[in-house]
Amino acid sequence: MSASEQEPKIKYGENAPKLDRAQLQFMKLIEEQNLDRVQKLKRVRRNNILTAGALGLSVVAIYGYSIFSVQQEKFLDDFEEPKKVNTN
């Protein structure tokens, strides 16, 4: 259902003053603008969540890589032969 098919969300009772056509059109315009604003804010929020997730994942990846590289250095150090000291 599009915004043009929806009726105004404000409901008036029997005793409420009658609104002319211009006022009703203005209310519909404001409501459409609010719906557009909400859609834009939802997109921005989704993009912010995706950006935060990507940044968090990159931080964890860099941390994991640094831990892995340190373990590799220690692993390769185990295969090196110790230096022999001459006692002459």
Side-chain angles (χ1 to χ4, degrees):
M1 186 189 289
S2 68
S4 62
E5 295 175 16
Q6 293 178 353
E7 296 196 20
K9 295 185 181 192
I10 300 172
K11 296 186 180 186
Y12 293 99
E14 296 286 326
N15 299 334
K18 299 291 181 187
L19 297 174
D20 63 354
R21 187 174 206 180
Q23 290 172 331
L24 287 175
Q25 287 178 349
F26 180 72
M27 287 172 49
K28 286 182 183 180
L29 175 68
I30 295 299
E31 192 170 339
E32 287 176 13
Q33 288 175 350
N34 282 338
L35 290 173
D36 292 340
R37 182 180 54 86
V38 167
Q39 292 300 321
K40 179 183 174 188
L41 290 175
K42 283 182 181 179
R43 279 193 310 270
V44 168
R45 181 174 184 257
R46 182 181 58 98
N47 290 341
N48 287 346
I49 289 172
L50 290 174
T51 302
L55 287 174
L57 185 62
S58 64
V59 166
V60 169
I62 291 170
Y63 177 74
Y65 176 75
S66 65
I67 295 298
F68 177 73
S69 65
V70 168
Q71 288 176 348
Q72 283 295 105
E73 287 177 9
K74 289 181 181 177
F75 177 73
L76 294 175
D77 287 343
D78 292 341
F79 288 110
E80 293 178 2
E81 294 184 23
K83 294 181 182 178
K84 296 181 180 180
V85 179
N86 292 333
T87 57
N88 321 22

